[in-house]
Amino acid sequence: MNLLLADLHKFVNYSGGIEHVLSRMAFSMEEKGYHLSVVMADEKEGAPFYPFPKDCHFYNLFHMAGMKPVHMGSLDKGLREITRLFSKSGARERNYKMLSAAAPQLERVLALEKPDVIISFREPTGRLLLEGLSTTVPVISMLHNDPDEIFAHAPAKEIKALEKSARIQALMPSFIQKAEKYLHYDHFVYIPNAVSIPAVSARPGASRKIHTITNVGRVTGRTKRQHLLVEAFTLLAKDFPDWQVYLWGDTYDKTYVATLKGMIKKAGLESRVLLKGTTKDMASVWKETDIFAFPSHHEGFPLALTEAMGVGIPAVGYRSCPAVNELIHDGEDGYLTEDGAAPLAEALRKLMEDGDKRAAFGKRAKENMKPFAPEVVWDEWDQLIREVLGE
């Protein structure tokens, strides 16, 4: 059975959550006997940050052998960003127009691979398949975020295209109700992300010379909001001299990173709040973590949070953040707080001053992540794909 995974997005040295899910799905579906091909799109040439199976056929649409390279011109990119100031929907329309220049390359991949089912990882990817190429191959569209974030400013044509999907997968049950506000569609299915737990057990209640609060995610202001963690820790630093903060993640948002570094310097915390960049050795990160802090504005199904909880680390996040407010059970395996630095600081304080509580919360967190075990989730995907093929 031929399965094509499609995510028309940059991937060279890019460690995004969606790309991580794609990599995990590729390995898992290959184990289940599927013939795998993957198509992505990056103006850079190079290998993906996350690996794929050795026998998987991988295509970069923007650099297809025997075809002219696709470039998103500087002028077009500039116009897209100017448009974004006035209309997010208009900016997405411009972005799709640039992406659709790779339609001949995508058509060639379909001809070469002859997929029985396609799984689309982003809305513009699904639109290019279902509207731009009008493929007759069943497309399962994944929603990797809160539908309010995805569809509130989505172009009408993008929504109409997605309504042609064989299935639309949502990461949380509550997301299906949200999506129904925007799409006239009745084939939604709930499948969460698979939480792959490293072979390590965290020790959040252990006695250490230095304790660590960890955040993992792209260092960016609108979504991940690491500045709120820096502000919260600034309120706590004098009372907890044996604590530090590690911020792990891609630092491509240079303006925000510069602002963050300025905040850290102004607070005199350069030696205690560190931007660590990216790593593939998350087991080592979790070993030294006592609390996972996650001040995101919105999420789909955050792998970093669920992996931290899965190894037994208590977590703190905002009650207003979709997905986070369903994954963290307040007062049981972590804390949910109101927005802002001060509420976040108070929640962190409760855990920082009580090692026994950290250990107890961490133990419950580990138990609460078991329903998202890979063997459960990938079996659900296998069943869904075969159900679609049966139709």
Side-chain angles (χ1 to χ4, degrees):
M1 192 184 304
N2 296 331
L3 180 63
L4 174 65
L5 308 182
D7 178 25
L8 306 189
H9 193 266
K10 60 185 177 181
F11 61 85
V12 178
N13 296 322
Y14 187 76
S15 56
I18 294 176
E19 290 69 30
H20 198 182
V21 172
L22 198 158
S23 170
R24 290 179 176 181
M25 179 179 281
F27 281 101
S28 299
M29 292 298 104
E30 185 190 55
E31 287 180 3
K32 291 185 178 297
Y34 291 89
H35 174 266
L36 258 294
S37 53
V38 172
V39 59
M40 302 180 84
D42 200 318
E43 291 183 271
K44 297 178 183 177
E45 292 188 81
F49 181 88
Y50 296 109
F52 291 106
K54 182 176 63 175
D55 295 331
C56 170
H57 293 176
F58 182 86
Y59 300 90
N60 180 355
L61 278 198
F62 288 177
H63 293 280
M64 285 274 291
M67 300 187 77
K68 184 179 178 180
V70 177
H71 293 289
M72 294 184 173
S74 298
L75 178 59
D76 287 332
K77 290 179 182 177
L79 288 172
R80 177 190 62 193
E81 296 312 310
I82 292 171
T83 303
R84 195 185 307 279
L85 297 173
F86 304 97
S87 169
K88 292 180 181 179
S89 174
R92 283 168 67 164
E93 196 65 55
R94 282 190 174 275
N95 195 67
Y96 174 74
K97 185 178 180 181
M98 289 189 286
L99 185 64
S100 63
Q105 285 83 349
L106 182 55
E107 201 160 29
R108 182 178 175 188
V109 171
L110 296 180
L112 288 170
E113 295 297 331
K114 298 179 174 56
D116 298 296
V117 174
I118 302 170
I119 299 180
S120 167
F121 281 70
R122 294 179 196 265
E123 294 72 39
T125 303
R127 179 179 175 184
L128 185 56
L129 286 162
L130 294 164
E131 176 192 279
L133 299 182
S134 298
T135 179
T136 57
V137 179
V139 175
I140 300 173
S141 295
M142 304 174 78
L143 302 182
H144 280 281
N145 209 337
D146 174 9
D148 284 336
E149 291 292 327
I150 295 173
F151 295 119
H153 302 286
K157 289 183 178 180
E158 182 178 286
I159 290 174
K160 286 293 182 185
L162 290 182
E163 290 173 348
K164 300 176 184 177
S165 303
R167 293 290 188 280
I168 296 179
Q169 172 248 0
L171 289 166
M172 305 296 293
S174 62
F175 286 180
I176 293 177
Q177 292 178 329
K178 287 188 176 184
E180 287 173 341
K181 296 187 300 183
Y182 303 97
L183 284 79
H184 298 290
Y185 190 80
D186 57 4
H187 291 295
F188 290 102
V189 60
Y190 158 63
I191 303 179
N193 279 337
V195 181
S196 296
I197 308 301
V200 59
S201 290
R203 299 187 302 123
S207 176
R208 315 177 197 255
K209 289 183 178 179
I210 298 294
H211 294 279
T212 303
I213 299 169
T214 296
N215 172 270
V216 179
R218 296 186 311 278
V219 182
T220 182
R222 181 179 178 271
T223 308
K224 304 299 182 181
R225 304 193 300 181
Q226 285 90 347
H227 65 279
L228 289 168
L229 176 53
V230 174
E231 291 176 11
F233 188 68
T234 301
L235 298 173
L236 299 165
K238 289 183 179 179
D239 294 339
F240 297 92
D242 56 343
W243 283 77
Q244 62 187 6
V245 173
Y246 281 176
L247 304 176
W248 290 93
D250 198 312
T251 55
Y252 73 91
D253 189 343
K254 302 303 180 186
T255 302
Y256 182 69
V257 169
T259 301
L260 207 59
K261 288 181 176 179
M263 290 175 59
I264 294 168
K265 184 176 182 179
K266 184 178 179 180
L269 296 172
E270 298 101 312
S271 64
R272 297 181 61 189
V273 180
L274 305 177
L275 277 75
K276 303 287 285 182
T278 59
T279 180
K280 295 182 181 181
D281 183 16
M282 288 307 300
S284 295
V285 173
W286 301 139
K287 282 181 182 178
E288 63 183 6
T289 297
D290 297 281
I291 303 170
F292 188 80
F294 208 56
S296 292
H297 175 269
H298 59 272
E299 292 286 346
F301 189 101
L303 291 175
L305 170 66
T306 51
E307 190 172 298
M309 296 176 70
V311 298
I313 298 169
V316 177
Y318 285 125
R319 188 171 284 108
S320 61
C321 182
V324 170
N325 57 18
E326 296 181 62
L327 291 165
I328 297 176
H329 302 85
D330 188 37
E332 179 182 329
D333 53 24
Y335 288 116
L336 293 170
T337 83
E338 300 306 313
D339 253 26
L344 180 61
E346 286 309 303
L348 289 170
R349 180 185 293 276
K350 292 177 186 177
L351 290 171
M352 292 166 78
E353 63 189 9
D354 191 337
D356 290 341
K357 180 172 285 187
R358 294 197 301 273
F361 277 24
K363 185 177 180 180
R364 293 189 195 116
K366 195 168 187 176
E367 286 297 314
N368 289 339
M369 290 301 104
K370 286 184 177 179
F372 310 123
E375 59 270 21
V376 175
V377 172
W378 299 127
D379 280 353
E380 290 177 356
W381 269 106
D382 182 38
Q383 182 179 341
L384 175 62
I385 293 166
R386 294 179 184 280
E387 179 182 306
V388 167
L389 274 174
E391 294 175 358

